[in-house]
Amino acid sequence: MSDDDDAEKINLRIDRLSHAMRSARARARGETPPPPDPVPDPPAAPMDQDPAADTSPTMPMATEWAPPIDPPPCDPAPVQTGWNSAPAPDAPAWDPAPPASGWAPVPAPSYDPAPAVSDPTAQPFGTPVDPPPNDFIALPSDISEDATLNMPGSLGPKPWELQTPPPAPEALPDAPPAPLMPVEPVLPPLILTDAEHVPDPDIFTGDAAPDEAEVAYDLPEPATEIPPTPVVADVTAPSSPRVLAPRGPALLQLASVCTDIGRYHILHGVDLEVPTGGVTMLLGRNGAGKTTTLRTIMGLWRARAGRVALGGQDITRWRPHRIARAGIGFVPEDMGIFGDLTVAENMMLAARSTRLSRDRLDWIFRAFPALETFWRARAGDLSGGQKQMLSVARVMAEKRRLYLIDEPTKGLAPAIVDTLAGALQDLKRQGGSILMVEQNFAVATELGDTAAVMEDGRIVWAGEMAELAEDRALQARYLGLNVEAA
Amino acid sequence: MTHAAPDVGDVHNTQPRRAGPGHAMALPILVVPALVIAGLLAMAVQAALPDGAGLLRALADPAFWTGLPAALGAIQASWLTLTVSGLAMGMMIFLMASGLTLVFGLMDVINFGHGAFISVGAFVGVSVLAALGAWVAAPGLGANLAAVALAVLAAMAATGAMGLVFERVIVRPVYGAHLKQILVTMGGLIIVEQLIHVLWGPDEIFLTRPEALKGALTWQGAALEKYRLLAVGVGLAVFLLMRLVLRRSRIGLIVRAGVQNGEMVEALGYRLGLVFVAVFVAGSALAGLGGVMWALYEEVITAPMGAELMVLVFIVVIIGGLGSVEGCFIGALLVGLTQNYTAFLEPKLALVSNIALMVVILMWRPEGMLPVARAK
């Protein structure tokens, strides 16, 4: 219940902040700033009527969204390359914020622009303008978890952590050489050709333990029934030259989903589409409703209105276990580790419809060597990063149609973030479809193919991740990034 | 070269530390022998004290210390008897409490109606024993044990079925609402008690144990009642079986995981609701088993006996740590031993001994001895 309170408070604060930003932007444009709010703590409703509200993207589908008073001014400011150079003809014409230089005289709104930079050594946060090349896992900074652990005195190593290297190979006659430190810089792809762009290749062919996951999906193959929602219309808009993961038809569709937690309305009509294959990033400020969206998809919160469809089949009212059996894997924000169970037992539970095959396990161990080391340890005794790895490994224990991953890098050291990002990259390379909440914008830029930005319980922007990564104005508007950097 | 999935024994032990709950359990389980020894010492001191002497003055007196070994020898037999009796009582309480603790841990349901299963189990079991009067009266061990076994099976079947109905009708509508659970399950308890009055009459029913279970063995000068030894054996067997199921089977894994984070178990695709019903039924059946055992122990049954035992059962569940079978086992042994030692040393204190034990344990470990790491 305190969570609800927090969410409410955060929403209020976000309202205030976005108002401050709108006035700042208006001032920079030389317009008269919108009249100050009559009360210091205005309710959300009146703000939607103030003139500056036009600069917000107007989504006609939102149930409670007042139609714009005037058509949004098309104001193609000469901004950075790439963005809106070839807008889709019917794309909503948002008002792009003025070029970054226009910001200089304006006092920056007084709030912390970077929601997730808890670690000052984390990747450079506000400068994603030229995205790093796509060979993320080959970066030399990719130091494995083991290496981190064994740095003397780094984390106050526990006794068992000091015993290295693990004498793994004897126990695994068939396994490839154990991943000794400092690492293999590149995670060997489990499959084979990534060039083929097979959307969902069967990973283990000719194995003793055939992957029966497919059998467990009691769903017919997608026959898309839902017309694409207006928000996602620009997914197809041409954008950067960046190579995208193969993308099929929409795997998951949310249409006007509203979710309440207690007496608070958290989601106010979310429209979202997750394509088959590739990573969709769900971005937004704290309290925007990202986690609630994932939990609603998973059935852990029941949507009050709207429709969630997986491969065209309505799963809105399904119980969580049925949704899981339909092929959705979930990594919750709190990791959901069973602390009293061993790592092995956690993994065995995760492989519900099949036995955990040796190949898959080797693949997981290559991604997360620490899990092999602590295979029989109590999961509750793992470090925070190892728990997060276990949580992600659990979802990798079976092939799933869709992976929902909620903030996997929260509060982790950069090296561990790299390990996790590498594993997710690997999952994506195999054709996995991932919907991921991420606050670390660098990671989001690395992994994401498409992105959707949430604000106040709605999707306010959807498009290519590359487009968002290159457009500081967009970031500033929706994510609060870059305000100082510009 | 098998490609078998790793089971628990498969992959290497690089870490020196023993994994699993073993180390966490070590400390609380040591409390049981500590209590046994403390009981022995207390009894010896009491025996060595001269009549009417204060404890402090006696401790300062060298004659007291020289007399202590003799006193130790003198009370050894009664100490052994009390210990076996306390263990037997603890095992029977464990049978009743284990189901309750799992039900609470899994679904956060406080089931005051659990006592009803104890009573019903006792009445059904005793009825079966009465029907098998010839077997019970026969001197042969085989016939006696067969009669008891049949009584136990009938009682477990009856209480298991009753648990199924109870869960569907009474508990299911009030998931998540603790106050309503208390009221509704309490109501269920009252109804069942009255139904017992309707079916079996309002009077208490006396019974006698089967011939082979009467009397006592003498060992080291101590009289050990045969039935109590049997109760210890049955309780230990059930505990080990439960542990085995919980540790080694998939359903056990699901139960243990569900106690910690039920939501995540559902999100992995398991129907926790079904598992919970199964646990509820199994817990009810165990309560029925405990009821039969208790009936044979006391040799008298009444309709409110279950409700009275629930006080002990709740103490056990609380000091063990909600949701923990191991904690429940240790807690039950502590309660049984404490009650028996105190009744011998200072009968007037016996009534408060269990509450005092709970207070002490909760001061030491406020969440119980072996709390389950819950995600909530």
Side-chain angles (χ1 to χ4, degrees):
Chain A
M1 45 195 89
S2 66
D3 284 348
D4 297 344
D5 291 344
D6 286 352
E8 182 78 344
K9 263 183 237 152
I10 289 167
N11 278 338
L12 266 181
R13 191 172 315 148
I14 287 174
D15 284 343
R16 254 177 280 152
L17 288 176
S18 49
H19 179 261
M21 288 188 63
R22 277 186 226 120
S23 359
R25 227 176 280 135
R27 248 179 275 130
R29 243 180 271 129
E31 300 166 15
T32 45
D37 295 312
V39 277
D41 196 346
M47 289 182 37
D48 284 344
Q49 269 116 46
D50 82 30
D54 291 351
T55 60
S56 304
T58 49
M59 295 299 138
M61 78 295 164
T63 49
E64 296 162 38
W65 190 277
I69 299 160
D70 299 315
C74 190
D75 181 18
V79 259
Q80 296 95 325
T81 59
W83 127 247
N84 91 351
S85 53
D90 55 346
W94 8 86
D95 173 16
S101 58
W103 280 84
V106 182
S110 58
Y111 68 101
D112 179 7
V117 237
S118 55
D119 186 344
T121 63
Q123 313 217 358
F125 193 84
T127 55
V129 188
D130 15 347
N134 212 359
D135 54 352
F136 183 67
I137 48 173
L139 290 177
S141 67
D142 179 36
I143 296 170
S144 85
E145 168 68 357
D146 263 5
T148 329
L149 277 178
N150 291 305
M151 270 190 242
S154 62
L155 291 171
K158 302 166 193 149
W160 67 89
E161 284 173 340
L162 292 175
Q163 185 180 352
T164 54
E170 301 84 60
L172 297 172
D174 276 356
L180 299 176
M181 40 254 48
V183 220
E184 341 158 37
V186 181
L187 206 52
L190 184 57
I191 33 155
L192 342 160
T193 51
D194 150 51
E196 295 306 301
H197 293 339
V198 188
D200 206 9
D202 197 357
I203 304 166
F204 304 116
T205 47
D207 190 325
D211 194 344
E212 299 161 14
E214 213 68 271
V215 184
Y217 302 149
D218 40 327
L219 298 177
E221 260 317 292
T224 310
E225 299 164 1
I226 303 184
T229 51
V231 202
V232 289
D234 50 344
V235 165
T236 53
S239 71
S240 75
R242 178 187 147 106
V243 179
L244 299 169
R247 240 173 286 155
L251 173 65
L252 180 82
Q253 286 164 314
L254 273 68
S256 307
V257 169
C258 301
T259 302
D260 302 343
I261 299 178
R263 56 204 171 86
Y264 298 105
H265 304 306
I266 306 295
L267 301 186
H268 307 280
V270 170
D271 293 82
L272 177 67
E273 201 161 295
V274 178
T276 306
V279 178
T280 302
M281 284 291 165
L282 193 55
L283 305 168
R285 297 185 175 95
N286 288 339
K290 308 181 296 293
T291 295
T292 307
T293 303
L294 291 199
R295 289 177 59 88
T296 304
I297 295 169
M298 202 60 221
L300 298 171
W301 294 125
R302 180 63 60 85
R304 168 169 52 85
R307 184 170 188 268
V308 182
L310 179 70
Q313 186 163 11
D314 190 343
I315 61 169
T316 320
R317 305 274 146 200
W318 288 16
R319 303 283 318 269
H321 67 85
R322 197 165 164 215
I323 294 173
R325 288 177 188 202
I328 299 189
F330 181 47
V331 176
E333 194 180 16
D334 64 0
M335 303 181 279
I337 294 298
F338 305 124
D340 275 355
L341 273 57
T342 63
V343 172
E345 288 168 334
N346 269 281
M347 292 299 293
M348 273 187 272
L349 271 183
R352 192 191 59 81
S353 58
T354 61
R355 276 173 71 84
L356 209 50
S357 76
R358 184 77 253 175
D359 283 355
R360 189 159 277 259
L361 205 61
D362 285 340
W363 173 54
I364 290 171
F365 285 163
R366 271 200 301 277
F368 304 122
L371 295 186
E372 187 169 26
T373 311
F374 298 111
W375 184 243
R376 299 200 58 195
R378 224 177 130 259
D381 292 341
L382 298 180
S383 75
Q386 291 162 346
K387 279 182 191 159
Q388 188 69 65
M389 290 180 197
L390 175 58
S391 188
V392 174
R394 249 185 355 193
V395 93
M396 290 157 70
E398 243 180 58
K399 191 170 73 174
R400 324 218 184 232
R401 291 175 74 182
L402 174 67
Y403 301 83
L404 305 179
I405 302 179
D406 198 348
E407 282 204 59
T409 63
K410 193 168 70 175
L412 301 184
I416 299 179
V417 170
D418 287 354
T419 309
L420 277 169
L424 295 175
Q425 192 83 271
D426 208 33
L427 199 60
K428 165 181 160 184
R429 200 181 302 134
Q430 291 175 24
S433 313
I434 303 175
L435 174 62
M436 182 168 160
V437 169
E438 184 54 76
Q439 295 275 28
N440 184 331
F441 197 72
V443 171
T445 314
E446 278 307 327
L447 287 173
D449 298 308
T450 54
V453 180
M454 289 195 79
E455 199 169 281
D456 240 351
R458 294 178 181 87
I459 303 283
V460 292
W461 186 88
E464 297 295 331
M465 186 70 217
E467 191 183 338
L468 182 62
E470 285 165 13
D471 192 332
R472 285 189 190 175
L474 270 180
Q475 293 164 23
R477 182 184 311 157
Y478 295 125
L479 303 175
L481 295 177
N482 265 0
V483 176
E484 274 102 35
Chain B
M1 306 292 131
T2 58
H3 280 263
D7 59 13
V8 186
D10 193 349
V11 186
H12 22 313
N13 310 303
T14 46
Q15 79 279 19
R17 207 158 64 91
R18 161 94 173 78
H23 71 102
M25 195 178 161
L27 196 53
I29 196 122
L30 289 180
V31 176
V32 176
L35 181 64
V36 168
I37 292 167
L40 175 65
L41 291 180
M43 286 169 69
V45 167
Q46 196 195 39
L49 275 183
D51 282 343
L55 182 63
L56 284 179
R57 232 178 18 194
L59 288 178
D61 181 3
F64 168 80
W65 294 103
T66 53
L68 200 55
L72 211 57
I75 52 92
Q76 188 202 3
S78 35
W79 169 75
L80 204 54
T81 306
L82 283 177
T83 304
V84 169
S85 166
L87 289 179
M89 183 177 165
M91 293 289 184
M92 284 184 279
I93 295 170
F94 165 72
L95 290 180
M96 302 169 203
S98 54
L100 190 71
T101 199
L102 277 182
V103 164
F104 190 94
L106 256 189
M107 280 300 197
D108 221 12
V109 169
I110 305 174
N111 182 15
F112 277 79
H114 203 70
F117 304 132
I118 300 174
S119 299
V120 168
F123 276 85
V124 170
V126 168
S127 302
V128 171
L129 280 180
L132 297 174
W135 292 13
V136 174
L141 182 68
N144 288 170
L145 284 186
V148 172
L150 278 178
V152 162
L153 283 181
M156 290 179 75
T159 52
M162 201 179 127
L164 191 63
V165 174
F166 207 83
E167 198 272 341
R168 294 272 150 166
V169 177
I170 294 185
V171 178
R172 178 152 299 185
V174 292
Y175 277 142
H178 279 166
L179 182 61
K180 285 184 187 170
Q181 283 166 12
I182 294 173
L183 296 176
V184 166
T185 56
M186 205 63 149
L189 172 69
I190 294 171
I191 291 173
V192 174
E193 266 183 24
Q194 298 308 311
L195 283 178
I196 290 177
H197 284 313
V198 170
L199 290 173
W200 279 280
D203 299 325
E204 50 201 13
I205 298 177
F206 292 91
L207 66 147
T208 53
R209 285 178 209 150
E211 289 300 321
L213 297 177
K214 286 179 182 165
L217 303 173
T218 310
W219 183 71
Q220 299 272 319
L224 308 178
E225 274 192 55
K226 288 181 194 165
Y227 182 71
R228 290 178 182 178
L229 293 175
L230 177 73
V232 171
V234 169
L236 208 54
V238 168
F239 172 65
L240 292 178
L241 190 69
M242 278 181 84
R243 232 178 110 81
L244 194 70
V245 169
L246 284 174
R247 303 252 159 244
R248 297 285 173 212
S249 73
R250 178 164 278 247
I251 186 141
L253 274 188
I254 296 171
V255 170
R256 283 163 59 213
V259 170
Q260 292 169 59
N261 190 344
E263 192 175 74
M264 195 60 216
V265 174
E266 288 254 307
L268 287 176
Y270 297 100
R271 298 189 63 181
L272 198 60
L274 278 189
V275 174
F276 172 64
V277 172
V279 169
F280 200 99
V281 168
S284 309
L286 281 176
L289 168 63
V292 181
M293 303 285 295
W294 192 262
L296 286 168
Y297 179 67
E298 294 277 325
E299 298 190 283
V300 59
I301 55 174
T302 61
M305 66 179 273
E308 287 155 15
L309 279 168
M310 281 306 281
V311 177
L312 283 184
V313 167
F314 269 118
I315 291 177
V316 162
V317 168
I318 290 168
I319 67 180
L322 296 167
S324 157
V325 171
E326 283 91 356
C328 177
F329 182 70
I330 298 171
L333 294 187
L334 290 184
V335 164
L337 289 170
T338 309
Q339 178 127 344
N340 276 275
Y341 291 143
T342 327
F344 178 85
L345 289 167
E346 194 58 63
K348 284 179 191 160
L349 287 185
L351 284 177
V352 296
S353 64
N354 290 313
I355 302 290
L357 176 73
M358 181 165 76
V359 169
V360 169
I361 299 261
L362 290 187
M363 285 169 72
W364 173 41
R365 292 199 168 184
E367 299 190 332
M369 284 186 294
L370 290 173
V372 172
R374 306 195 70 160
K376 289 160 195 165

